[in-house]
Amino acid sequence: MKAFLEELVNQHRPSVGEGKLADYIPQLSEQDPTALGISVRTCDGEVYSAGDCPERFTMQSISKVITLILALMDRGGEAVFERVGMEPTGDPFNSIYKLEQAPGKPLNPMINAGALVVSSLIKGSTVEERVGRVLSLVRRMAENPKIELDHAVYYSERATGFRNRSMAYFLKEFGMIEDVEATLELYFQQCSIAINCDDLAQMGLCLARLGQNDAGEQVIPRELARLVKTFMVTCGMYNASGEFAILAGIPAKSGVSGGILASVPERMGIGVFGPALDEKGNSVGGVRLLKGLSRELNLSIF
Ligand code: GLU
C-alpha cells in the first residue's frame, strides 16, 4: 500500500503544473504549488502516507463540515435547516447572486453563504469561546490536541474577505444572520485552523466509523456522521461534486488551501493536500490521487 501511494504521488505530481494557487487570500499564494501528499488511515488500524504529508495548511472550506456538525449538535436539525437548505448548487462556492432572491436562504451549508449561516448558529458567549469549541471538535476528531490556528492566514483573509462580508450583510437583511461581525470573525478563524494530511485522514476515519474515535468513544453522534457525509457527496467538491461522485464515488470536502478530507464508510479516512487548484477550486493533484486510489481499491460507495 505504501509503495502504491508513493507511485500514485509520483505519477500525479507533474499534473500540479496545470493548477494555480488561490491568491484572493494573499497568504495562500505563499504556499508551495508543487506540494502533493496523501495519508490513509483504515478502520483496521493501518496508517500509510506518501509525499508532502507533514506539511501544514489551513482547513478553509473543510471547516464547514465541522461547523455543520457543531451547529446541529447545538441547535438540532430543525433550527439549522430552517435557515440553510439541503440542495446542491451549480454555482461557485462564493457566489452571491442567488442571495438576492427572497427568501435569501442559502442552498446548502457547503457554500460560503450557507456556512456563514451555520457558523452564526454555533453557541458561545464570545467569539473566542465559539472558535474554541470548533477547534476542540477538530482536535477530538483528528485526535491531535496540538492543532492551532494559523494567524497569518486568518489576518490575511480578515483583511481581504470583502465578498464574504457582503454575503453576511445580505444574509442579515433577510434575517438569516443576527450578529454579522461576530459571525465573520468566527468564520475567518475556523477557515485558518492549520492541519496536515494525517489530521485529515484521522478526521475522515472518525466519520467512516460513524463518529467514533480510536478508543471507541462517540465523538459525534452517529446520525450526524452520516448526514455530513451525504452533504460531502452532494456538495463537498464545489460545483464539481457530480463529476467527482461519478469518477471517485467517495464523500469528500475540499478547501481552497488545497486540502481534501475524504471518508469511505466503514473502510478508511483519507487526507490529501496539493495547493495548486483547478478552475472550480479543487486541488488538481488531490482529485487525481483520490480518483486513482478509488479505482485501485474499489472505494466508490455507489
Ligand atoms: N476562507 C475561504 C473563503 O471563504 C474558504 C473557501 C474555500 O475553501 O472554499 O473564501
Side-chain angles (χ1 to χ4, degrees):
M1 179 73 162
K2 166 94 179 151
F4 171 68
L5 291 181
E6 265 159 15
E7 195 186 304
L8 208 58
V9 169
N10 291 338
Q11 182 191 345
H12 292 297
R13 204 183 282 275
S15 73
V16 303
E18 295 165 29
K20 244 174 93 277
L21 293 174
D23 55 7
Y24 73 100
I25 300 173
Q27 195 65 24
L28 293 184
S29 64
E30 305 286 311
Q31 298 187 107
D32 171 7
T34 65
L36 189 62
I38 182 165
S39 174
V40 171
R41 299 200 170 185
T42 73
C43 290
D44 302 330
E46 290 159 31
V47 174
Y48 304 100
S49 63
D52 303 305
C53 248
E55 208 158 307
R56 306 197 75 71
F57 51 91
T58 50
M59 289 186 84
Q60 298 302 330
S61 273
I62 300 169
S63 67
K64 293 170 181 168
V65 173
I66 312 304
T67 46
L68 177 61
I69 295 169
L70 200 52
L72 286 165
M73 286 165 80
D74 279 355
R75 310 273 179 182
E78 209 173 304
V80 171
F81 295 117
E82 207 171 273
R83 290 170 182 238
V84 61
M86 297 182 180
E87 298 305 332
T89 155
D91 302 325
F93 67 95
N94 57 0
S95 174
I96 199 163
Y97 112 103
K98 287 217 170 86
L99 283 186
E100 258 201 285
Q101 296 152 22
K105 176 175 168 175
L107 278 170
N108 69 65
M110 298 291 129
I111 52 172
N112 286 12
L116 285 162
V117 171
V118 166
S119 294
S120 79
L121 295 174
I122 288 172
K123 285 190 178 164
S125 47
T126 60
V127 172
E128 289 69 36
E129 186 187 338
R130 296 161 78 194
V131 174
R133 294 185 63 234
V134 177
L135 190 56
S136 158
L137 183 54
V138 170
R139 287 174 177 163
R140 277 183 284 133
M141 287 178 70
E143 307 204 29
N144 179 0
K146 296 204 179 109
I147 294 175
E148 291 291 349
L149 265 63
D150 179 329
H151 287 94
V153 174
Y154 158 53
Y155 289 124
S156 184
E157 181 167 9
R158 186 180 192 239
T160 55
F162 307 118
R163 183 180 276 260
N164 285 325
R165 283 188 194 282
S166 316
M167 260 185 251
Y169 279 99
F170 257 112
L171 289 161
K172 178 158 172 86
E173 172 161 318
F174 283 113
M176 296 289 166
I177 283 184
E178 271 134 47
D179 189 343
V180 176
E181 290 302 325
T183 299
L184 285 164
E185 276 302 301
L186 171 54
Y187 178 77
F188 294 145
Q189 292 189 47
Q190 75 184 57
C191 286
S192 74
I193 295 173
I195 34 102
N196 64 18
C197 284
D198 296 332
D199 296 323
L200 281 183
Q202 189 69 33
M203 291 166 80
L205 180 59
C206 176
L207 294 176
R209 286 188 302 219
L210 285 176
Q212 283 186 6
N213 65 10
D214 283 348
E217 294 153 0
Q218 204 70 43
V219 178
I220 56 174
R222 293 169 69 86
E223 65 277 13
L224 295 189
R226 191 171 290 125
L227 183 146
V228 295
K229 276 182 290 186
T230 315
F231 273 116
M232 287 160 76
V233 169
T234 56
C235 325
M237 300 296 282
Y238 308 121
N239 42 335
S241 299
E243 184 183 325
F244 187 79
I246 289 165
L247 298 176
I250 303 175
K253 179 74 200 93
S254 68
V256 288
S257 53
I260 304 177
L261 159 71
S263 177
V264 187
E266 287 163 44
R267 290 189 67 181
M268 64 182 68
I270 310 165
V272 298
F273 173 57
L277 308 179
D278 62 24
E279 69 291 345
K280 302 224 165 130
N282 292 310
S283 166
V284 173
V287 166
R288 292 190 193 196
L289 292 180
L290 287 170
K291 284 184 197 161
L293 190 65
S294 176
R295 213 175 303 122
E296 179 71 19
L297 302 183
N298 215 355
L299 297 180
S300 174
I301 62 167
F302 300 105

